Amino acid sequence: MIRILLADDEDLTRGALAALLGLEPDLTVVAQARDGSAAVEAAARHPVDIALLDLEMPRLDGISAAQAIRRHRPVPTVLVTRHARPGVLRRALAAGVQGFVPKTTPADRLAEILRDVHAGGRYIDHRLATYALTETSCPLTPRELDVLRGVHHGQAIGDLAAQHHLAPGTVRNYLSGAITKLAVRTRHEAARRAWEEGWI
């Protein structure tokens, strides 16, 4: 029996997925979590063979949670996502994630993927692999990426300024530059875009 840790912040999605996987004769969901931090705690408490994590979760995203879980328990990880950008795929692979699938994957195919990954294989959705080959380069400077990373984690401009030893006006200038380059309206949209592309 393959013991699964399942983490997704959407209760309905998590419950449905647990029920569908539970129908498989060799799969069982032994722990569930609704955010990345809870997934890490569950992995430390429960004997699990594989982690199935949503990419976008509160507190810790799926990639960060996968890295933290591996520090406690070296189990393979499969990420599921609605927003499968090539840059995110690159970050996931660099973090040691063995599987990366869109949420549109049928439950029976997901069960096959979990079995393959548990047996030591890897699975990357073919559409993601194709997109990765045509990925555009990041137009942002390292400093713009630094401040967008802080915005993505909820930091205010004053906190970013103190953290990077900059004046608040300088932080605003970096954010303005990033907003212009990414053709978005707000710093939050810019941070979101940078995260989705896998740049931060």
Side-chain angles (χ1 to χ4, degrees), residues 35-38 40 54-66 68:
D35 64 58
S37 295
V40 175
D54 185 20
L55 174 65
E56 296 185 66
M57 293 187 290
R59 299 174 71 192
L60 283 179
D61 66 21
I63 295 174
S64 299

Side-chain angles (χ1 to χ4, degrees), residues 22-89:
L23 297 175
E24 299 292 328
D26 57 340
L27 303 178
T28 181
V29 176
V30 296
Q32 296 186 41
R34 62 175 38 150
D35 64 58
S37 295
V40 175
E41 294 167 7
R45 288 196 316 269
H46 299 276
V48 298
D49 300 309
I50 191 167
L52 179 61
L53 310 175
D54 185 20
L55 174 65
E56 296 185 66
M57 293 187 290
R59 299 174 71 192
L60 283 179
D61 66 21
I63 295 174
S64 299
Q67 290 173 309
I69 288 169
R70 288 171 61 83
R71 286 194 289 270
H72 295 291
R73 189 184 300 272
V75 297
T77 305
V78 173
L79 291 183
V80 293
T81 182
R82 284 196 181 92
H83 307 288
R85 299 292 182 106
V88 175
L89 170 60

Side-chain angles (χ1 to χ4, degrees), residues 175-176 178-180 182-190:
L175 290 172
S176 177
I179 289 167
T180 300
L182 297 180
V184 294
R185 294 174 299 166
T186 69
R187 65 179 186 263
H188 299 290
E189 288 180 11

